[in-house]
Amino acid sequence: MFVVCDVVGRRRKAGILPSLEDLLFYSIAEGQEKIPAHKFITALKATGLRTGDPRLKECMDMLKVTLKSTSDGVMLDRHLFKKCVQSNIVLLTQAFRKKFVIPDFQSFAAHIDTLYEKGKKLTGGLVADYIPQLAKFSPDLWAVSLCTVDGQRHTVGDTKVPFCLQSCVKPLKYAIAVHDHGTEYVHRFIGKEPSGLRFNKLFLNEEDKPHNPMVNAGAIVCTSLIKQGASNAEKFDYLMCFLKKMAGNEYVGFSNATFQSERESGDRNFAIGYYLKEKKCFPDGTDMTAVLDLYFQLCSIEVNCESASVMAATLANGGFCPITGERVLSPEAVRDTLSLMHSCGMYDFSGQFAFHVGLPAKSGVSGGILLVVPNVMGIMCWSPPLDKLGNSVRGIQFCTDLVSLFNFHNYDNLRHFAKKLDPRREGGDQRVSALFHLPARLALPTCPIEALHHVLEAPKKLICSPCCSTQQYTFGPLDYESLQKELALKDTVWTKVSPTECNEDSSTTVVYRMENITDGN
């Protein structure tokens, strides 16, 4: 019987297929019967995942328990390894098969480190001092954290130091308002256009509305829309809970000292509040002074670079928190928030930033820049020294350098812009859907199932030639599904048929004569 097998479709007999857990073990073990646990952890971290990722909790908990039961507390055989990873095997398989949005994550992280070091050398700018608590931060503090939509993490610098969100909270509370009430209701009270004026001006648009929710007037009105009728305590708890969900339950705190400092030095915002009240910009029944108190409190919410990067990644991921998988915001809320961040998020530098960087972002006077690469990642840059427009000097430089190196600008063409790197493609050039590779030439047993013990990556084509009791196989890259199909030819003796014998072009088709075929279970 002749069977022509190509890359698209193959005739198969049922057989015993290896599990994903087995394939993962063999890919890490590289021919050994046991692997040290730290080798698995090291390989896991190279994909960008953290051992503390909430999605891997079952795996990590089981790993700790299992190692305690082993004689040396270090080594895992195939059975123990399978026991540890089976609860999270789908996520782990995606990670090790380089199916995440950034396949070559270590290479990408190295580029981020280089950009960070470049920014570290900058010395310009001044730390904000109009809020006394902000003036206490060292100008040398500098941190960058990122989180991809698949939960890959990388941080460099002072990423554990807490700082207040300040104006970076504006797009977040706007997103919550739209999530709760919808776009149409929110924009009855707030416009959508850049103001062309300083962020704290007492100025409204032609309809007597604040220009947008990214300036102080718009953010104050936006604050009044959240949990109307509830007490400030209830509103604050509600918003803190929401922000913690956006941050994947990572650090979100509150600086009472900054809040008190904000309120004591908030004459301009009180003036804006009374102006908004005069123009009837608030919903009926709004207590303006209570709204301002909550506004100051929200500006005083603390994060660190790592937790803020997860918030940004939740926006990049369409409202789903990447590290918990929880739906936090509606698609409508995310879309509208990113649109306004793109046009209005960077104070009087918004147009320049949109032109040169081409990504939605929001800056704050504490030195943070919340940057979103839609469908790819969220980034938080933090460095207290600000330029004359109120944006972090190092943060602006980092964002500019990022899109100069990578094709992340919204209007970079992904197919024809060859001058930039594309980290979304494996090798920065083209995506290869391979995980488990075999050496180019490898002597394997006649039964493909037995050959699995030597598998490191999956084959794309299988070319065999008789050699005593074994077959010589030549492998190229392929995905897991096709590997499963290859191995399904259980108990079959394969003999390569010459292209002329079957009138097929061997450059694109692999042809076999299949003999002694038996059904597998």
Side-chain angles (χ1 to χ4, degrees):
M1 176 176 76
F2 293 97
V3 177
V4 177
C5 304
D6 59 30
V7 176
V8 177
R10 293 178 172 87
R11 180 172 174 178
R12 289 285 180 253
K13 290 287 183 178
I16 300 174
L17 303 182
S19 68
L20 287 168
E21 293 89 341
D22 288 334
L23 290 173
L24 184 58
F25 176 80
Y26 295 128
S27 71
I28 298 173
E30 297 178 315
Q32 301 299 311
E33 293 184 0
K34 292 185 177 182
I35 60 171
H38 70 80
K39 185 174 183 180
F40 166 60
I41 296 299
T42 300
L44 178 67
K45 290 180 178 178
T47 69
L49 292 183
R50 291 182 170 180
T51 55
D53 191 307
R55 298 168 297 174
L56 293 175
K57 186 178 186 306
E58 295 89 345
C59 174
M60 293 299 118
D61 288 349
M62 183 58 69
L63 182 61
K64 292 176 183 177
V65 171
T66 302
L67 289 175
K68 289 179 180 178
S69 68
T70 61
S71 58
D72 55 13
V74 175
M75 302 301 290
L76 297 169
D77 60 19
R78 183 172 62 87
H79 173 72
L80 291 177
F81 179 83
K82 185 173 183 177
K83 182 180 178 182
C84 292
V85 302
Q86 60 188 1
S87 59
N88 300 121
I89 190 59
V90 174
L91 178 64
L92 291 169
T93 301
Q94 285 180 311
F96 282 90
R97 292 180 64 209
K98 297 187 175 183
K99 290 295 186 182
F100 285 161
V101 67
I102 306 292
D104 295 320
F105 194 75
Q106 284 185 303
S107 174
F108 177 72
H111 284 299
I112 296 298
D113 290 347
T114 300
L115 298 183
Y116 170 85
E117 291 299 328
K118 180 180 178 182
K120 192 174 184 180
K121 298 174 183 177
L122 296 177
T123 57
L126 297 172
V127 178
D129 59 4
Y130 71 93
I131 300 172
Q133 285 299 120
L134 298 182
K136 297 181 178 181
F137 282 96
S138 166
D140 297 326
L141 292 168
W142 170 221
V144 174
S145 291
L146 67 88
C147 176
T148 73
V149 294
D150 292 312
Q152 297 164 286
R153 310 288 295 276
H154 182 64
T155 64
V156 55
D158 305 301
T159 56
K160 298 287 189 182
V161 179
F163 60 93
C164 290
L165 280 168
Q166 292 296 326
S167 286
C168 289
V169 80
K170 290 174 180 173
L172 306 181
K173 64 183 170 185
Y174 169 75
I176 295 170
V178 174
H179 176 85
D180 287 347
H181 300 295
T183 302
E184 192 274 331
Y185 177 81
V186 171
H187 286 285
R188 290 181 196 172
F189 303 92
I190 309 169
K192 308 182 186 77
E193 294 290 338
S195 68
L197 301 168
R198 293 287 289 168
F199 67 96
N200 58 358
K201 286 288 186 181
L202 281 76
F203 195 76
L204 301 177
N205 65 18
E206 293 180 354
E207 298 178 336
D208 277 345
K209 297 178 184 178
H211 284 80
N212 62 73
M214 305 302 161
V215 294
N216 287 14
I220 291 170
V221 172
C222 188
T223 303
S224 73
L225 303 180
I226 296 171
K227 295 292 283 184
Q228 297 171 42
S231 68
N232 265 13
E234 292 172 316
K235 292 178 181 180
F236 183 78
D237 281 347
Y238 175 75
L239 288 161
M240 283 290 283
C241 180
F242 225 115
L243 294 176
K244 285 181 179 179
K245 288 180 181 179
M246 290 186 68
N249 298 313
E250 295 191 359
Y251 177 72
V252 180
F254 176 71
S255 171
N256 186 57
T258 303
F259 164 58
Q260 297 295 340
S261 186
E262 286 258 8
R263 186 161 59 176
E264 290 167 5
S265 60
D267 291 340
R268 165 73 66 162
N269 286 316
F270 274 104
I272 293 173
Y274 280 107
Y275 183 52
L276 293 169
K277 182 178 179 181
E278 179 202 357
K279 294 294 186 178
K280 302 189 183 328
C281 294
F282 296 112
D284 292 340
T286 297
D287 182 342
M288 185 272 295
T289 56
V291 167
L292 281 174
D293 251 15
L294 183 59
Y295 173 82
F296 294 137
Q297 287 175 334
L298 297 181
C299 290
S300 304
I301 288 175
E302 281 188 339
V303 294
N304 57 37
C305 254
E306 297 196 14
S307 59
S309 72
V310 181
M311 292 177 170
T314 299
L315 293 175
N317 198 35
F320 284 91
C321 178
I323 65 172
T324 64
E326 182 180 4
R327 159 74 76 187
V328 183
L329 294 166
S330 67
E332 176 187 31
V334 172
R335 179 200 63 203
D336 294 348
T337 300
L338 295 181
S339 296
L340 288 170
M341 287 172 69
H342 183 84
S343 61
C344 312
M346 299 298 290
Y347 300 129
D348 294 345
F349 192 67
S350 296
Q352 292 266 31
F353 194 88
F355 184 86
H356 292 289
V357 178
L359 292 171
K362 185 70 190 82
S363 58
V365 294
S366 58
I369 294 182
L370 191 78
L371 182 73
V372 178
V373 185
N375 306 305
V376 181
M377 70 181 68
I379 300 174
M380 173 56 89
C381 312
W382 177 61
S383 177
L386 309 178
D387 60 24
K388 62 182 181 180
L389 296 175
N391 298 313
S392 169
V393 172
R394 293 190 183 102
I396 291 290
Q397 185 66 55
F398 178 87
C399 294
T400 303
D401 290 342
L402 182 75
V403 297
S404 295
L405 181 61
F406 300 111
N407 59 355
F408 285 159
H409 191 294
N410 262 331
Y411 305 111
D412 280 338
N413 189 284
L414 299 185
R415 295 183 63 186
H416 304 297
F417 206 110
K419 294 180 181 180
K420 294 185 181 181
L421 301 177
D422 186 356
R424 288 162 284 201
R425 297 181 182 274
E426 190 170 353
D429 182 27
Q430 58 182 353
R431 186 182 295 275
V432 180
S433 58
L435 166 61
F436 309 99
H437 289 289
L438 281 170
R441 303 286 297 180
L442 180 68
L444 299 177
T446 301
C447 175
I449 296 298
E450 295 177 23
L452 174 63
H453 292 275
H454 302 278
V455 170
L456 301 180
E457 289 195 15
K460 184 173 184 179
K461 289 187 177 182
L462 178 61
I463 305 172
C464 48
S465 58
C467 179
C468 300
S469 61
T470 66
Q471 303 288 339
Q472 289 280 347
Y473 299 100
T474 301
F475 292 87
L478 185 58
D479 57 23
Y480 172 76
E481 181 181 357
S482 298
L483 174 63
Q484 293 261 39
K485 292 179 180 179
E486 295 288 358
L487 297 175
L489 288 168
K490 187 174 183 293
D491 298 329
T492 300
V493 177
W494 295 343
T495 303
K496 185 178 180 181
V497 178
S498 67
T500 54
E501 184 177 349
C502 64
N503 195 30
E504 291 284 347
D505 179 5
S506 62
S507 65
T508 58
T509 308
V510 182
V511 184
Y512 305 96
R513 177 185 292 113
M514 305 202 308
E515 302 168 349
N516 302 328
I517 300 177
T518 59
D519 291 334
N521 296 316

